[in-house]
Amino acid sequence: MSHYDLWEQVVAALSGTGDDAGAAAGAGAALLLGTETRALSSLWEGLECFAAYGDELEPAPLAAAAGEAIGRAPDAAGLVDHARIGSEWERAQGGASIVDMLLAELNS
């Protein structure tokens, strides 16, 4: 399953439009993906939203639009150094939390 397929399956389940929508609604929910059942919490630890196609948007309006789109206010918003965070994650060979690094930078 590609990351695009995964995204579509999870969004459909969480939005209540997929066949497994009821099962995906609660905490600890799982989703059948191909031949494997996975806890939704194991698929990612966070969601980052940023402007696409080189658009330059201020963090506050982007955070408001994202919150409206998903029905939940963001935990944090602002600008981060993606190059630095990516380099740290690569040095940790995937053993570091990108979400923790994003939040640490946004809250500093």
Side-chain angles (χ1 to χ4, degrees), residues 1 4 6 10 20 35 42 46 55 69 81-82 85 92 102-104 107:
M1 173 173 287
Y4 296 112
L6 174 63
V10 172
D20 296 325
T35 61
S42 75
D55 292 344
D81 184 345
H82 285 99
I85 289 171
L102 290 168
L103 290 171
N107 292 320

Side-chain angles (χ1 to χ4, degrees), residues 4-15:
Y4 296 112
D5 296 330
L6 174 63
W7 175 257
E8 292 298 325
Q9 291 287 323
V10 172
V11 168
L14 293 175
S15 66

Side-chain angles (χ1 to χ4, degrees), residues 9-104:
Q9 291 287 323
V10 172
V11 168
L14 293 175
S15 66
T17 61
D19 292 338
D20 296 325
L31 183 63
L32 179 63
L33 300 169
T35 61
E36 188 177 342
T37 300
R38 296 284 304 265
L40 289 177
S41 62
S42 75
L43 299 174
W44 64 68
E45 64 175 315
L47 178 65
E48 180 186 11
C49 178
F50 48 90
Y53 310 112
D55 292 344
E56 292 191 26
L57 298 174
E58 290 296 316
L62 181 58
E68 184 177 319
I70 65 171
R72 177 175 185 242
D75 294 331
L79 300 174
V80 297
D81 184 345
H82 285 99
R84 184 192 61 73
I85 289 171
S87 293
E88 277 188 42
W89 185 80
E90 287 175 357
R91 275 193 299 280
Q93 298 179 339
S97 167
I98 291 175
V99 171
D100 286 348
M101 288 186 277
L102 290 168
L103 290 171

